[in-house]
Amino acid sequence: MEKSEIRNAIKTVYQELWDVLSLLEETQFFNYVPKGENVTEHSDEDNAKIYFERRIDEIRKHVETLFLEEPKIAKRLKVIIVETKYFITRYEMPGVVPRWKRINPQLLYFDCAFELMEKAPEAYAEICRGLTGIHLACYPDAELIANRKAYFEKIAENNRLNNTEYSEEKAFQDELLNTLTLLFEYAFKEYL
């Protein structure tokens, strides 16, 4: 394949993954089938699982077809697809693989540890001390707490200035989509 063909094929896969991740808020963390999609085989929860697994499998099939003669590119794309599928099936926020949090540390701001710290400080202290058997993905330090506070204050200020409403789920979805962009820029910088 020529470089321009590779670039266009990579952008196609990027768009397909973007389309799936952009459904996070609408489908309440991939728990429901998007509006306008007709899937009535099982319960709503089962339908959503089937629907999103099918979407991810279609993207993977597309990668296999587009990059049959470019196995190195296919391999990098399949890693991103597997990581995306991992996230979609976690049903939690952030629920992403550690690599995504390293690429976009702002995803850490959505970890449940912050909510525990604020709403159940005693329980959080017990978890941190290893007294519960519960392990968190994130144990915020003072710097992370301050950065998170500034992050959400900026979102609140932008909402006030633009007279808009912005849910935490929407902010998280935006960070996921930003992470997807960063993943593709990192993995395919020689083609984009």
Side-chain angles (χ1 to χ4, degrees):
M1 291 176 81
E2 291 185 26
K3 190 172 182 175
S4 63
E5 292 174 307
I6 292 171
R7 179 183 310 111
N8 289 334
I10 290 170
K11 286 180 179 180
T12 298
V13 175
Y14 169 79
Q15 178 65 49
E16 291 170 345
L17 287 168
W18 177 281
D19 289 345
V20 170
L21 289 177
S22 69
L23 294 170
L24 177 132
E25 185 183 36
E26 176 187 335
T27 63
Q28 297 178 18
F29 282 82
F30 310 105
N31 284 303
Y32 297 97
V33 174
K35 291 179 181 122
E37 297 292 335
N38 192 10
V39 181
T40 57
E41 301 159 3
H42 307 281
S43 69
D44 285 344
E45 189 175 297
D46 287 342
N47 277 336
K49 183 178 184 210
I50 291 165
Y51 174 81
F52 285 107
E53 284 182 2
R54 190 177 300 142
R55 289 279 305 259
I56 293 295
D57 289 345
E58 287 171 5
I59 295 168
R60 185 173 177 150
K61 181 178 93 177
H62 204 190
V63 165
E64 296 288 355
T65 305
L66 284 171
F67 297 99
L68 185 61
E69 298 172 8
E70 299 290 342
K72 289 180 182 178
I73 296 171
K75 183 178 180 180
R76 286 187 249 165
L77 285 165
K78 285 188 268 188
V79 167
I80 295 170
I81 291 167
V82 167
E83 291 170 339
T84 302
K85 186 172 184 176
Y86 173 86
F87 165 72
I88 288 172
T89 59
R90 291 292 301 230
Y91 307 111
E92 65 184 53
M93 190 164 59
V96 296
V97 297
R99 181 171 91 106
W100 287 29
K101 290 184 264 188
R102 278 193 294 280
I103 287 173
N104 182 3
Q106 291 178 333
L107 289 172
L108 291 170
Y109 301 158
F110 298 91
D111 197 278
C112 70
F114 292 101
E115 188 173 347
L116 272 172
M117 289 172 71
E118 294 167 6
K119 295 184 179 176
E122 298 86 16
Y124 179 75
E126 285 187 0
I127 292 169
C128 290
R129 293 178 186 133
L131 302 174
T132 64
I134 297 172
H135 300 283
L136 300 174
C138 176
Y139 296 91
D141 57 15
E143 179 184 3
L144 190 59
I145 293 167
N147 290 346
R148 179 183 187 262
K149 182 180 178 190
Y151 173 85
F152 282 108
E153 285 174 353
K154 183 177 178 185
I155 288 175
E157 179 63 15
N158 287 340
N159 290 341
R160 189 186 65 70
L161 291 173
N162 297 318
N163 196 28
T164 58
E165 290 186 31
Y166 207 76
S167 68
E168 188 172 327
E169 290 79 14
K170 177 64 175 153
F172 179 65
Q173 179 178 293
D174 287 349
E175 287 303 335
L176 272 180
L177 295 171
N178 181 41
T179 304
L180 183 67
T181 301
L182 295 171
L183 285 164
F184 272 75
E185 287 173 350
Y186 175 77
F188 306 107
K189 58 184 163 249
E190 69 269 25
Y191 298 103
L192 302 177

